[in-house]
Every structure is written in C-alpha cells, then in structure tokens.
Amino acid sequence: MSEALFATLQQLLGAAHVQRSEDAPQYLTDKQGRYTGQVIAVVHPANTEEIAAVVRACVALEAPIVVQGGNTGLMAGATPDASGRAVLLLLDRMSRVRVIDTDNDTLTVEAGCILQNIQDVAREAGRLFPLSLGAEGSCTIGGNLGTNAGGTAVLRYGNTRELTLGLEVVTAEGEIWNGLRGLRKDNTGYDLRDLYIGSEGTLGIITAATLKLFPLPKAQATALLAFDELAQAVAFLSHARAGFGANLTAFELLSADCLALLREQFPEGPQPFIKASQPWFALLELSDNHGETHAREAFEAVLGEAFEQSLLADALIAESLTQSEALWLLRENMSEAQKRAGRNMKHDISVPISQIVAFVTHTDALLQVHFPGVRNFTFGHLGDGNLHYNVAHPLGSTVDEHMRNYAALSLLVHDSAHAHGGSISAEHGIGQRKVGMLGRYKSPVELDLMRRIKRALDPKNLLNPGKVLEVQP
C-alpha cells in the first residue's frame, strides 16, 4: 500500500515535491523534540486542488493525513505518530497573498503564509493585521487558525477566530469548500468557519483565509508598571479598561522572578526596575488613532489617577520607539530565557480575570506543599486571563529530577485551573500532549458532542488522528 500511494503522490505532485521519511527528518519531530514520527511520504502541494487530490488518494487507501505549517506548535499537533502509515502534508508552497481589499479592510492569504509576512503586507497597504506572537517570524497562518492562536493583542482585537471572516477548506473526502467571503454579517445557517478554526486539522484542512484588517494606529504608548501585589495589577486593569476603552491594546504580566531571570540570561538587555522590591510588573500598550499628543495625555491621565487611587506602585514610560521596543524585549525574550536556564514545566492556562489572584495564590502554595522549592515563572496575557504558569526545578536539584514529576505537578496545576473556572489550554491547543486530559475536565455530554462532530466530518478518522480528541474505532 505504501509504495503504491507514494507512486500516486509523485504522479499528482511531481517527484520533486514528494519525499520519503529518511529524506525529510526535519519535519518529523516537534519543536520541543519530544515526539518523532514516521510517514509514507512528505508532500509539498502547490495549490488547493493538489491538496484535494492528495486527500482523495489517501482516502482511497485509508492513509492518515497530518498537516504541518511552520512546526512551531508546543503540543506536537503537527507531528505524525510512529506507525509510518500517514502522509505528512506541508504548506510551504502555499504562501501566496491572493487578494487585498482596503475598502473592505480584508486580506485573503493562503495557509502557508508566514504570519510576519502577512503583517508586512498589511502595513505596506496602510493597514494593520494585529495578530502578534513570539513565533511570528516562522509560524504560518494555517497553524494560527488551527490552534486559534492568541498573542499579545487579544485584549483589543481578539484571538485568530475573531480576526477571520472566511475560510477555504479541503474536507476529509477531498472536496473543496470555498467560504472565502469577506462578510461581517452572514447569518445563513451553521457557522462552518468556527468549526474548523481551533480544530487542529482534525476536521478539515484549512488552505486559505480571509482576514480582517484595521487602520494603522497613529500613535502608541508603552509603559512598564510595578505593583505591590497581584490584586493591585488586576484592579489597575479594570481602571485602564475604563480609562482607555478600546485603545487598550496589551496588558502583559511579568513576575519579579521573570525579570530576574531575564537579567540573568540577557545581561546585555534592558534592566528596568533593577532595585525594585515589587513582586509583579506589567507591560501596558495603548494604541491611538488621534495622534501622539492625544495618546500621551490619555496615558498620563489614566496613570495619574491610578497613583492617586493606590492602584500603582511605580511606572516607567517609554519616551521613544526605541525605548518601547526595549521594554517589549522583556516579554519577547521570556521563552528564550527559560530555554537557556533549562527545561521547565509549561502550563498554558486561562481563568476568569476575577479568579487570577485566587488561582495564583492557591496554586503557588499547593506546589510548595507537594514539591518544595520549585520556582514559579508566571507571566502572560493578564488582559484576557491567559497565564503561562511555568514551574522550574528547585535550586540544588537537577532539571531531570524535576521533570520526573511532570505528570503529577501538571495535574495539580490543571486541576487548580479547572477548579477556578478555567481551561487547561488557552492558546497552545491540545495536540497529542494533552489529548488524554480532556476526559477529566469536559463533561460526557461535551465530549460526546465533539466526537459526533468528528465522526460526521471525518468518518474514517484520517485527519490528524490521535490529536485533540480520543476517537474509538
């Protein structure tokens, strides 16, 4: 079967665009090096019609299909299993910008477009595409759609789902659904778009998307804020929402331990509040369409009121674009700082903002009871309740000793997030790393509804099997 399928794929795409596993090892391991698979073939289709033809060929021989974009995901959702039965479908040749419509403020792009390239194309047209995350130089919009990626501007603009008006999708049968309508109102039945976004390639293959564009801000203001306690940061967020309204773009939390780690791993980088005693900090960004003067006045008014109401301990306001970029480096360098310091246990959780303080206080204390000495590096998108609650090994122990407790420690964190009304995955998806956890946190009714959707749209379970949802044969 495998040789027959390999030959068919070569006929469909051309021999130069079909590889064997041994010729393409770079695609078979996830970003973090935890999972490695084998496949019948790695294929590089050039357009939607070729993807549909690949799917039909795989369906005929019941070969699973795994789709991969930039391979930047953290849950190994784009990595095949070790069975060697699947075909790995890469979107690297599907990177065209199809249409830009500045009157409608939309941009239609293929799924293999790198996120940063989309941002650049929008900016060249005098528009903003606001999705922004650490991997934007290599992740693709197809992967962003597959996981419903968030990033730093969710507070103002929403997740990828909110930034998408239409999709083009190849179904599990190899049919093409063209839903690339740039409509903001279309109430004509079930919203198929929302089924595919966030489904991680398990329901269909997203091949293109029509995205929302926005006016470029005329001015931006950035500050690093210091807080005496986490509750003060949460209270300030409410104050900032009221004062800035929709202009509040980002509110990114960083603990004092995160700043210390950044100073340790990036001694050449920015060193704000180096002698500060506050335990919590936040990067605040305001985007303004009225100009620098208006932005500055609003900034000073809201921060001044916050000082008067004891909602703020200290503030460092960027006086230039260079200073603003230096402050944002603090947030952008967090992933690399942790990597340099050694592996830690990463948890992408979300809870209602009103439960942030209770969750952090309770979980921090619980960890010290069961895993004394572990160190918390808590940071993330406080503005939408999404924390990267990461836990490093105790000083004096090794990373390997710490990682042996991964299952038990992560269970404690996820149970706590769930108990506080939260989710075990805010923006990283489920993939194969968390696939076995959903049964613990979702009701039988919810899981049954998800399985019924999966069976309806992918009855042979050929699209990214083993990811997101455990499906019984």
Side-chain angles (χ1 to χ4, degrees):
M1 182 269 280
S2 60
E3 285 304 316
L5 180 55
F6 190 89
T8 298
L9 295 171
Q10 285 187 315
Q11 291 173 358
L12 291 172
L13 306 183
H17 305 302
V18 180
Q19 300 168 283
R20 297 188 185 275
S21 282
E22 56 268 28
D23 298 322
Q26 68 271 32
Y27 304 121
L28 302 178
T29 299
D30 73 296
K31 177 184 178 180
Q32 296 185 312
R34 292 190 174 98
Y35 296 85
T36 298
Q38 295 295 319
V39 292
I40 293 171
V42 177
V43 299
H44 305 256
N47 53 53
T48 303
E49 290 72 22
E50 287 189 356
I51 291 177
V54 168
V55 171
R56 291 192 295 270
C58 291
V59 168
L61 294 175
E62 298 195 356
I65 305 156
V66 179
V67 182
Q68 188 177 111
N71 198 22
T72 62
L74 299 178
M75 295 294 112
T79 305
D81 63 24
S83 69
R85 295 180 54 246
V87 168
L88 183 61
L89 192 154
L90 266 66
L91 296 171
D92 50 341
R93 297 176 68 207
M94 294 273 299
S95 58
R96 290 176 288 274
V97 174
R98 293 188 182 175
V99 180
I100 184 164
D101 184 344
T102 53
D103 288 332
N104 197 43
D105 275 336
T106 54
L107 176 67
T108 299
V109 298
E110 294 180 336
C113 276
I114 292 173
L115 175 56
Q116 191 170 59
N117 294 345
I118 295 173
Q119 297 167 347
D120 292 343
V121 167
R123 191 176 299 108
E124 289 167 4
R127 298 293 187 272
L128 171 73
F129 182 63
L131 182 63
S132 180
L133 38 130
E136 62 192 28
S138 54
C139 68
T140 63
I141 193 64
N144 302 146
L145 289 159
T147 58
N148 189 27
T152 57
V154 170
L155 178 58
R156 178 170 182 176
Y157 297 104
N159 294 305
T160 308
R161 187 187 306 278
E162 284 74 42
L163 298 173
T164 307
L165 293 175
L167 295 178
E168 179 184 81
V169 176
V170 172
T171 71
E173 291 78 23
E175 299 175 323
I176 300 172
W177 169 54
N178 187 340
L180 294 172
R181 293 181 286 272
L183 300 176
R184 286 159 176 82
K185 288 185 175 181
D186 182 10
N187 191 18
T188 54
Y190 306 130
D191 196 336
L192 301 178
R193 173 200 61 186
D194 279 357
L195 273 178
Y196 291 113
I197 296 175
S199 67
E200 301 186 45
T202 62
L203 301 180
I205 300 171
I206 296 173
T207 54
T210 298
L211 307 170
K212 294 180 186 177
L213 299 179
F214 298 84
L216 278 170
K218 293 181 179 178
Q220 290 179 302
T222 307
L224 181 65
L225 312 178
F227 300 99
D228 290 323
E229 57 184 7
L230 185 54
Q232 192 181 41
V234 173
F236 176 88
L237 175 59
S238 292
H239 172 75
R241 284 181 187 274
F244 294 133
N247 289 342
L248 182 58
T249 304
F251 195 75
E252 294 290 301
L253 186 73
L254 289 161
S255 70
D257 289 333
C258 289
L259 286 188
L261 180 68
L262 287 162
R263 286 193 289 268
E264 172 190 305
Q265 299 299 329
F266 290 92
E268 74 286 359
Q271 305 281 326
F273 293 124
I274 193 166
K275 296 182 179 179
S277 60
Q278 287 83 18
W280 295 100
F281 300 84
L283 265 171
L284 180 151
E285 183 162 283
L286 168 71
S287 300
D288 195 294
N289 287 326
H290 297 287
E292 294 286 348
T293 301
H294 185 271
R296 188 74 181 195
E297 289 175 352
F299 219 49
E300 291 175 353
V302 171
L303 294 187
E305 292 169 0
F307 277 118
E308 291 174 3
Q309 298 173 30
S310 299
L311 297 177
L312 188 59
D314 204 352
L316 176 61
I317 300 175
E319 298 291 342
S320 66
L321 178 60
T322 299
Q323 290 185 5
S324 175
E325 290 173 345
L327 290 180
W328 271 105
L329 272 179
L330 297 170
R331 177 64 179 85
E332 293 165 5
N333 285 341
M334 268 307 300
S335 292
E336 180 62 23
Q338 294 173 96
K339 182 179 178 180
R340 292 182 183 185
R343 287 177 62 196
N344 63 27
M345 299 184 192
K346 294 178 170 55
H347 306 97
D348 167 46
I349 63 93
S350 65
V351 295
I353 296 170
S354 58
Q355 292 295 308
I356 288 280
V357 175
F359 166 78
V360 171
T361 303
H362 173 77
T363 314
D364 283 1
L366 205 57
L367 286 180
Q368 293 306 321
V369 170
H370 293 279
F371 307 96
V374 295
R375 296 167 296 145
N376 291 93
F377 294 108
T378 302
F379 63 99
H381 319 300
L382 183 62
D384 54 51
N386 173 197
L387 295 181
H388 300 302
Y389 187 86
N390 298 345
V391 185
H393 66 281
L395 295 175
S397 71
T398 67
V399 172
D400 288 342
E401 289 171 335
H402 177 58
M403 296 306 290
R404 281 198 284 270
N405 295 322
Y406 182 88
L409 191 152
S410 290
L411 181 65
L412 184 154
V413 173
H414 291 145
D415 279 357
S416 182
H418 182 70
H420 287 88
S423 168
I424 66 168
S425 180
E427 61 180 1
H428 292 168
I430 296 299
Q432 55 185 302
R433 288 197 66 193
K434 292 184 178 179
V435 69
M437 300 180 187
L438 292 192
R440 186 177 181 88
Y441 303 111
K442 289 188 177 290
S443 71
V445 170
E446 192 170 6
L447 286 170
D448 181 58
L449 288 170
M450 290 173 66
R451 290 191 180 103
R452 285 157 68 181
I453 292 170
K454 171 69 171 173
R455 285 194 291 267
L457 295 181
D458 181 20
K460 294 186 176 182
N461 191 27
L462 295 180
L463 295 181
N464 216 7
K467 318 291 172 55
V468 181
L469 194 63
E470 292 176 316
V471 179
Q472 302 301 320

